[in-house]
Amino acid sequence: MPRPLEALIHLDALQHNLQRARDAAPDAQVWAVVKANAYGHGIERVYEGLRAADGFALLDIAEAERLRKLDWRGPILLLEGTFEARDLEWCSRLNLWHAVHHEAQIDWLAIHKTEWPHRVFLKMNTGMNRLGFRPEAFRNAWVRLSALTQVDEVSLMTHFSDADGPRGIERQWALFNAACADLPGERSLCNSAATLRHAASTQVRGDWVRPGIMLYGSSPDYPEHDATAWGLRPAMTLRSRIIGVQHIEAGETVGYGSRYTATQPTRIGVVACGYADGYPRHAPDGTPVLVDGVRVPMAGRVSMDMLSVDLSHAPNAGVGSEVTLWGEGPAVEGRPTLLSIDEVARHCGTLGYELMCAVSPRVAVSVVHPHGA
Ligand SMILES: *Cc1c(COP(=O)(O)O)cnc(C)c1O
């Protein structure tokens, strides 16, 4: 038998979450953001669940090529644009739309030989200070681009730094709007947090929204709202089994560095999942884990291939019990159980984004089709 650790990818959850993005931004077109190999889920694996999107957004030409191999004929947007002039050959060949965020990218376009002009998304830096032209340089970039025969339509985009928090989007949105008020072209502004929190306004919503994390069922503004509050379902379940049990006395310790000390006689369950699988090594004692659908606390340091939990609240659990690291657990008394990746991430001082992207290649993955189809 292979090691019992596996990741399940739930196609129905992806479809459902995509629909949630549509509901939150009615009339807008939806880029399904599938960068970083679909946030660790696998582009080929999520494709069936997300193919109802209007386009796919990512950064790697190699990933774009994988989408074309799946026979996706619709729009693909390179969110970071080209990294060198030669990338434009690939954009022409694979019909990729690309962001333009600095002058050299325009220079490369100006000398690019192509039969078909490219659709580009001109990016404004409205305060994130990562990629894009500053508002005062934006118009000039737009004029240069629009004059090129290599360029078809120019769309306008920006990215919010604080859509998930109290600073909000107001300042950045106002800058964007003022700097491109009289420019033609479709607009794209909203990531997941902005789509869920701010896209009720048609002006903020624009023509294209760019949800990523919400498609995978993680809440972009946890803990203010959890995934359930946003109506999102986990697209990934990471599950394993208990492979060993130890009965320890008060004062005995568990694992490397003896971080956990029992205060009473305790049953410890050892789970086949460790940091070499992508589970965070810095998960502290108390990080929640489901055993047969019951919440139990982590006890002791995560090691390369194993982690340990305190089974005091799961007296019936033993070797072979099902363990949910995050996602959907087994039903208990007819009720489904859930452990949100966001809650696990919070215990570990990180975000659902990082945990899902980190699931390692040695973890077996299966795709769960809707209704067991
Ligand atoms: C990653 C990314 C997104 C999606 O962000 P989420 O927070 O995952 O929704 C949208 N736009 C750009 C430019 C991105 O890089």
Side-chain angles (χ1 to χ4, degrees), residues 97-160:
W97 303 3
H98 45 102
V100 170
H101 58 84
H102 64 69
E103 294 285 351
Q105 290 176 328
I106 307 181
D107 300 338
W108 300 334
L109 265 168
I111 54 167
H112 177 55
K113 291 191 175 50
T114 180
E115 283 177 53
W116 296 285
H118 292 193
R119 170 87 175 255
V120 297
F121 275 63
L122 181 60
K123 185 162 190 180
M124 192 188 301
N125 169 18
T126 49
M128 177 77 156
N129 291 322
R130 220 169 46 171
L131 300 181
F133 292 90
R134 294 179 70 83
E136 59 274 18
F138 194 73
R139 180 166 304 263
N140 190 41
W142 184 87
V143 169
R144 272 195 77 199
L145 266 181
S146 304
L148 298 180
T149 56
Q150 292 88 343
V151 170
D152 172 25
E153 235 178 286
V154 182
S155 303
L156 315 173
M157 72 184 286
T158 192
H159 192 57
F160 296 128

Side-chain angles (χ1 to χ4, degrees), residues 7 14 21 25 45 51 62 64 67 76 78 81 87 103 107 169 172 208 219 222 230 245 263 273 335 353 362 367 372:
L14 291 161
R45 296 186 193 112
R51 67 182 303 169
L67 274 170
I76 298 179
L78 297 179
D87 292 346
E103 294 285 351
D107 300 338
I169 61 163
Q172 284 186 266
W208 291 85
S219 168
Y222 186 85
W230 285 125
V245 173
T263 55
C273 179
R335 297 224 181 110
Y353 292 78
R362 83 168 182 182
V367 176

